[in-house]
Amino acid sequence: FFKQKTAYEIGVRLVGSEMCIRDSEMTDSENTPIQPVSGTVVPRFAGPSTFARLPEIRDVKSCDIAILGIPFDAGTSYRPGARFGPQAIRQASRHLRTQYHPSYDTEPFIEQQVADAGDITCNPFNILESVEQIQTAATEMLGNVKSIISLGGDHTIALPLLRAVNHHFGPVALVHFDAHLDTWDTYFGAPYTHGTPFRRAGEEKLFLDHASMHVGIRGPLYSRNDLINDEELGFKVVHCDEFQTEGVEHVIGRIKERVGNNSIYLSIDIDVLDPAHAPGTGTPEIAGMSSRELVNVLRGLAGLNIISADVVEVAPAYDQAELTSLAAATIVYEIINLLTRSPGKES
Ligand code: MN
Ligand code: MN
């Protein structure tokens, strides 16, 4: 009855006709990635509500990078609400300009197929069942795609994601951006929470204890032993104040030296940013990184062998003017570009 095409169909059709121009140059037109709906064809505030208006994963033949929502927040210790993070990040990602990134010299959606894989179904009343659901879904997905960038969700999800990555790649160098260590043992007797994923991961030997580190740590602790216990798991720490005293270049150098040539998993808790830059999160800590510092550290990691990542703890109910979700969406886009430059990805 309605003859008018949807904005998504228009976008795909016009991107498709642009691809015909490419066809004369490319012999393998079947494998040309389906790109996001162009912001110069359909206004960015319209069109599909996938991350960066990318195609859904069911619409592509193969996929290099899957954007995966994990709306789980039953592991939070203070403000809940990160279950609404994935959709808020997708909404903010409409604003991204997705054709070319000058900092990496990449056309990330032309050089590889990126798609939105939707959300994992998690049981909001059962943490253990949710952890298993995430592990199963991510393990299966990594059998079909090269990399996953997960949208949290609270930081509990990093444990099943690391298990899935280990299933396919073995132990990885973990680079963990966070105000907090997240290596506590239990909260109120609970072993699986957003403050404990890297203690469990250490016990399961999911990361390389000679190549992993925390970046952006700050603030008071529960006990003097917290730092000692953390170090026993094999972590080195870049304290947040070192961005001021040593500078971004020095921090990039320390990360590169630590991770070496190992495969890297990036886990980014949005509360690594100062609440002025990311107020919409569950456990904010003042005196944090600026969004410029975080973006510049990430750009300094271009060329390292990053294999998958998560961006967690976006809780939109405490956000203002999309500050936090825009920061998270932009960081996800930076990671897509990092993966484009990851050695395992280049042909
Ligand atoms: Mn945190
Ligand atoms: Mn965390």
Side-chain angles (χ1 to χ4, degrees):
F1 192 79
F2 290 98
K3 293 277 190 265
Q4 198 175 350
K5 294 267 186 192
T6 65
Y8 177 71
E9 288 171 301
I10 292 166
V12 169
R13 203 150 49 88
L14 291 183
V15 170
S17 68
E18 283 166 19
M19 288 193 318
C20 291
I21 301 165
R22 293 181 159 275
D23 283 350
S24 60
E25 305 158 359
M26 300 174 70
T27 52
D28 196 11
S29 63
E30 288 249 314
N31 290 333
T32 305
I34 300 176
Q35 294 164 48
V37 174
S38 170
T40 59
V41 177
V42 177
R44 284 177 286 169
F45 48 80
S49 51
T50 52
F51 184 85
R53 309 196 306 170
L54 283 160
E56 293 184 48
I57 202 162
R58 65 184 177 197
D59 293 332
V60 300
K61 282 183 179 163
S62 66
C63 181
D64 298 297
I65 302 172
I67 310 297
L68 179 63
I70 309 183
F72 169 85
D73 66 4
T76 48
S77 58
Y78 198 63
R79 295 168 172 171
R83 67 181 61 180
F84 298 107
Q87 274 314 107
I89 296 169
R90 288 185 177 106
Q91 172 63 21
S93 74
R94 291 176 169 281
H95 185 58
L96 296 169
R97 235 167 271 103
T98 52
Q99 281 77 14
Y100 175 66
H101 199 317
S103 299
Y104 302 89
D105 189 27
T106 41
E107 296 175 300
F109 300 130
I110 293 176
E111 295 177 43
Q112 69 214 317
Q113 182 67 65
V114 189
D116 192 319
D119 290 342
I120 292 177
T121 303
C122 301
N123 183 342
F125 304 106
N126 190 324
I127 294 177
L128 203 55
E129 186 182 338
S130 287
V131 165
E132 285 168 7
Q133 287 168 320
I134 296 163
Q135 182 182 343
T136 302
T139 302
E140 188 183 323
M141 187 161 289
L142 276 173
N144 298 312
V145 306
K146 291 175 189 164
S147 300
I148 295 174
I149 304 174
S150 302
L151 315 176
D154 77 47
H155 222 152
T156 310
I157 69 172
L159 176 66
L161 290 169
L162 277 171
R163 286 175 179 165
V165 164
N166 266 254
H167 179 86
H168 291 280
F169 301 100
V172 287
L174 171 63
V175 181
H176 167 221
F177 291 81
D178 204 320
H180 312 99
L181 299 167
D182 291 357
T183 52
W184 287 283
D185 188 11
T186 59
Y187 275 116
F188 296 85
Y192 300 103
T193 78
H194 78 155
T196 60
F198 302 123
R199 170 74 73 104
R200 299 288 90 77
E203 290 164 353
E204 296 177 27
K205 309 222 176 297
L206 301 180
F207 57 82
L208 299 167
D209 59 7
H210 60 274
S212 296
M213 68 196 314
H214 307 295
V215 183
I217 301 299
R218 60 190 186 269
L221 298 166
Y222 290 107
S223 142
R224 199 182 290 271
N225 285 331
D226 289 352
L227 284 169
I228 298 164
N229 294 339
D230 185 76
E231 200 173 355
E232 284 172 356
L233 288 170
F235 284 108
K236 297 289 183 205
V237 175
V238 174
H239 194 275
C240 200
D241 289 344
E242 292 179 76
F243 283 93
Q244 191 170 23
T245 57
E246 309 288 341
V248 167
E249 287 303 320
H250 173 84
V251 171
I252 292 168
R254 279 187 61 192
I255 296 172
K256 284 183 160 176
E257 190 182 351
R258 181 74 175 155
V259 299
N261 294 323
N262 295 296
S263 296
I264 297 164
Y265 184 85
L266 279 180
S267 187
I268 302 183
D269 185 328
I270 203 68
D271 74 24
V272 78
L273 296 178
D274 191 276
H277 294 254
T281 194
T283 48
E285 298 283 345
I286 68 160
M289 289 173 74
S290 69
S291 52
R292 182 171 59 203
E293 285 166 339
L294 178 54
V295 160
N296 282 321
V297 172
L298 291 174
R299 289 174 187 171
L301 306 183
L304 298 183
N305 193 26
I306 297 164
I307 54 171
S308 277
D310 62 59
V311 178
V312 299
E313 298 284 353
V314 173
Y318 317 99
D319 206 4
Q320 299 289 329
E322 292 191 310
L323 285 175
T324 313
S325 50
L326 180 61
T330 308
I331 289 159
V332 170
Y333 186 51
E334 295 288 324
I335 296 169
I336 291 169
N337 283 277
L338 279 173
L339 290 168
T340 312
R341 282 286 163 266
S342 184
K345 290 283 155 11
E346 286 177 3
S347 51

